[in-house]
Amino acid sequence: QVQLVESGGGLVQAGGSLRLSCAASGRTFSNYAMGWFRQAPGKEREFVAAISWNADSTYYADSVKGRFAISRDNPKNTVYLQMNSLKPEDTAVYYCAARYRVYSITSRDYPYWGQGTQVTVSS
């Protein structure tokens, strides 16, 4: 089992920045690829970003490319999502997820999930 706890969400004005953190415990963190997903009210959960187990590969949704950056600190068992130039359409609950070794952009491929953190961007 991998336990995940997100933090860092909040209310921010459009154009502002937030950094989300996801702390992992349980299995060896460095064995797991990590993903960030988000879900807005009335919408399906969507992929945001992913990072490989050793951080040599990242992938972003087109909607956040150039504005968001995913990173990880394996000794600290933590993955981050730096969000810049935030827009009202970025408002959602953000979830981190873990998958053994290989990341995916499909939420159902991830067996481990955090509880989510709310991000609200005001216009």
Side-chain angles (χ1 to χ4, degrees):
Q1 290 283 355
V2 177
Q3 291 79 43
L4 303 171
V5 178
E6 302 97 335
S7 61
L11 174 64
V12 62
Q13 289 188 331
S17 298
L18 281 174
R19 188 176 83 154
L20 305 183
S21 299
C22 173
S25 61
R27 300 283 179 87
T28 303
F29 179 68
S30 59
N31 285 339
Y32 288 81
M34 301 298 295
W36 284 97
F37 292 78
R38 66 187 182 187
Q39 188 166 18
K43 294 188 176 181
E44 293 188 353
R45 191 168 298 188
E46 66 173 359
F47 169 77
V48 176
I51 188 166
S52 61
W53 64 275
N54 60 356
D56 69 348
S57 177
T58 58
Y59 192 78
Y60 297 92
D62 287 344
S63 59
V64 306
K65 202 172 295 183
R67 299 188 298 122
F68 291 12
I70 188 171
S71 62
R72 66 189 296 160
D73 186 335
N74 283 348
K76 293 185 177 180
N77 292 347
T78 303
V79 63
Y80 304 97
L81 186 67
Q82 178 66 44
M83 305 185 296
N84 300 325
S85 302
L86 283 160
K87 305 175 181 180
E89 51 263 44
D90 294 318
T91 295
V93 177
Y94 283 72
Y95 299 89
C96 68
R99 183 173 191 254
Y100 187 74
R101 286 297 187 178
V102 180
Y103 64 68
S104 169
I105 66 171
T106 304
S107 60
R108 64 177 177 269
D109 289 339
Y110 289 81
Y112 304 110
W113 290 83
Q115 83 290 347
T117 186
Q118 176 71 47
V119 171
T120 303
V121 184
S122 63
S123 57

